[in-house]
């Protein structure tokens, strides 16, 4: 997977700790059966790489997902990976292990990893840089909590997390050199995750502008322009169109609504509608 020149649209599902290998197989069988119901222009958008689709499954389900997706244009990714390639890191998985099962994409720094498992800005940076250097496609997550938003800290928190990822200025330093090719960002306000409370399209756009503004200052305007920024947090087939219609919202990262094949397909269809209908 890679970022197309004019950014395009990326529809990503994060299954979190749902769907073991058996459910994964069933999901893809149903998805394949329902896939022809997608409108024609979805196929064109997918073929032209203007629309990309990815599912981040539990580690144990990766092999089942890769086998079961068959010829469907759905990338399969892991929900985390360690910066070291091997060693004494109980419970972790590494890039070379993912390669062995033909997985080339990784989600990193999800707020659930940060909140429940103590991942730090520095740890997320190390994972991100290492996996990018191992030629993975990486989706790195950022986002503020409700208390931080209510305390007027949204911009400060996003900038702290982004500074963690991009500590040096310039378009060629650290992870920044992969923006626009194999690194995308997902803005996921913690208060909108799994709560049913979605950020309004205006709130999403405002936060995305903050992120792009930071990238402009830290990594340069060209890098900021070509960077993909996704929104995540209670996205559904009902609200996705209004989110994708906003400036600078280049896709979505979806939890609950990506778990059922029909719902996921509806999100893919919305991604296809958004392709070509939005300013870069
Ligand atoms: P929900 O879509 O279930 O709110 O989850 C969002 C999320 O955390 C995706 O990574």
């Amino acid at each position: 997977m890679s970022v197309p020149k004019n950014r395009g649209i990326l529809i990503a599902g994060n299954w979190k700790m749902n769907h073991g290998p058996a459910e994964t197989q069933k999901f893809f069988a149903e998805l394949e059966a329902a896939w022809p119901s997608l409108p024609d222009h979805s196929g064109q958008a997918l073929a032209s790489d203007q629309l990309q689709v990815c599912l981040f499954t539990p580690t144990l389900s990766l092999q089942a997902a890769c086998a079961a997706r068959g010829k469907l244009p759905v990338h399969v990714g892991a929900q985390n990976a360690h910066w070291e390639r091997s060693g004494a890191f109980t419970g972790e998985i590494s890039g070379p292990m993912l390669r062995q099962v033909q997985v080339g994409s990784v989600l990193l720094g999800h707020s659930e990893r940060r909140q429940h498992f103590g991942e730090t800005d520095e740890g997320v940076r190390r994972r991100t840089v290492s996996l990018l250097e191992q030629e993975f496609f990486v989706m790195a997550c950022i986002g503020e909590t409700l208390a931080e938003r209510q305390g007027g800290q949204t911009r400060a928190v996003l900038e702290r997390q982004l500074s963690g990822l991009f500590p040096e200025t310039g378009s060629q330093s650290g992870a920044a050199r992969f923006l626009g090719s194999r690194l995308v960002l997902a803005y996921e306000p913690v208060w909108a995750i799994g709560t049913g409370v979605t950020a309004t399209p205006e709130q999403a756009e405002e936060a995305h502008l903050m992120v792009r503004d930071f990238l402009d200052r830290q990594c340069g305007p060209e890098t900021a322009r070509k960077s993909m920024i996704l929104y995540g947090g209670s996205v559904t087939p009902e609200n996705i169109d209004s989110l994708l219609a906003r400036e600078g919202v280049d896709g979505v990262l979806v939890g609950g609504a990506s778990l059922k094949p029909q719902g996921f397909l509806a999100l893919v269809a919305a991604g296809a509608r958004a392709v070509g209908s939005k300013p870069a």
Side-chain angles (χ1 to χ4, degrees), residues 40-52 73:
D40 284 349
H41 62 273
S42 313
Q44 288 152 19
L46 284 158
S48 70
D49 89 354
Q50 289 304 294
L51 175 63
Q52 300 196 68

Side-chain angles (χ1 to χ4, degrees), residues 150-222:
Q150 288 176 338
Q153 294 298 303
T154 301
R155 183 185 285 271
V157 171
L158 294 180
E159 296 210 346
R160 190 205 76 220
Q161 293 171 336
L162 288 165
S163 301
L165 273 174
F166 310 109
E168 296 152 38
T169 55
S171 61
Q172 291 309 309
S173 54
R177 67 186 189 276
F178 299 101
L179 284 164
S181 59
R182 280 188 289 104
L183 173 61
V184 303
L185 300 173
Y187 166 64
E188 295 206 305
V190 178
W191 49 271
I193 293 178
T195 58
V197 181
T198 321
T200 63
E202 292 75 17
Q203 286 172 319
E205 181 175 299
E206 188 186 28
H208 282 226
L209 287 173
M210 288 178 192
V211 174
R212 217 175 290 279
D213 179 53
F214 173 92
L215 295 177
D216 185 281
R217 281 180 279 123
Q218 189 78 346
C219 313
E222 175 60 15

Side-chain angles (χ1 to χ4, degrees), residues 19-21 24 57-65:
H19 289 349
T24 299
T57 79
T59 309
L60 208 58
S61 304
L62 288 170
Q63 276 186 284

Side-chain angles (χ1 to χ4, degrees), residues 14 16 110 188 192-194 233-235 253-256:
N14 172 12
K16 307 189 179 184
H110 191 279
E188 295 206 305
I193 293 178
S234 297
V235 176
L253 176 57
V254 188

Side-chain angles (χ1 to χ4, degrees), residues 111-125:
S111 63
E112 287 151 16
R113 300 291 326 161
R114 295 175 188 259
Q115 271 194 310
H116 306 311
F117 304 101
E119 286 201 17
T120 61
D121 289 341
E122 172 57 10
V124 174
R125 186 195 65 76

